[in-house]
């Protein structure tokens, strides 16, 4: 049995299903370490290595992407800009132009 054929068969397991992907345990190349493998951590690591084969686009994943990639950064940015505007007004400094309020300050 050649090494190429063996690695090809192991790679095919990742394309089958999450159960088949998690059934493959990576071989330790360092040697006999005094470490006891934890089944749950090994399963999680295998899933992380093969996430591109098990990811599914659905309403839940799209919602998470929109919330964490768009809404959370916009909320953090708007809170930071409002905080800086509030501090500028409290110390009598002129209002600065930021990405979100540049048109407001130019209209004044």
């Amino acid at each position: 049995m050649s090494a190429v054929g063996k690695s090809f068969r192991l790679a095919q397991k990742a394309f089958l299903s999450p159960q088949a992907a998690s059934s493959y345990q990576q071989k330790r190349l360092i040697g006999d370490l005094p470490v006891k493998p934890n089944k749950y951590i090994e399963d999680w690591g295998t899933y992380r290595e093969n996430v591109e084969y098990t990811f599914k686009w659905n309403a839940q994943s799209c919602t998470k992407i929109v919330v964490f990639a768009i809404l959370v950064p916009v909320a953090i940015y708007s809170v930071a800009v409002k905080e800086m505007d509030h501090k500028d007004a409290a110390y009598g400094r002129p209002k600065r132009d930021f990405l979100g309020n540049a048109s407001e300050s130019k209209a004044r």
Side-chain angles (χ1 to χ4, degrees):
M1 172 185 295
S2 69
V4 174
K6 185 176 181 181
S7 64
F8 182 71
R9 265 188 255 96
L10 291 175
Q12 281 181 329
K13 287 184 181 181
F15 288 103
L16 297 175
S17 67
Q19 292 81 16
S22 65
S23 67
Y24 170 69
Q25 291 295 320
Q26 194 173 26
K27 289 184 180 178
R28 306 263 182 221
L29 301 176
I30 298 172
D32 190 21
L33 296 176
V35 177
K36 294 180 183 176
N38 188 334
K39 177 190 180 301
Y40 303 107
I41 293 175
E42 295 294 330
D43 287 346
W44 178 75
T46 304
Y47 176 75
R48 291 268 323 254
E49 290 173 359
N50 297 309
V51 73
E52 64 269 14
Y53 305 120
T54 58
F55 180 78
K56 294 192 179 16
W57 286 100
N58 54 24
Q60 184 180 12
S61 63
C62 289
T63 303
K64 286 180 183 179
I65 289 170
V66 167
V67 167
F68 291 109
I70 297 172
L71 297 180
V72 170
V74 167
I76 291 171
Y77 178 77
S78 63
V79 167
V81 168
K82 286 179 184 177
E83 174 70 19
M84 286 187 259
D85 287 343
H86 177 70
K87 291 295 180 183
D88 287 343
Y91 289 106
R93 294 185 292 235
K95 195 171 187 179
R96 294 180 274 181
D97 289 338
F98 293 106
L99 184 64
N101 64 356
S103 61
E104 294 175 5
S105 62
K106 288 181 181 177
R108 293 181 208 176

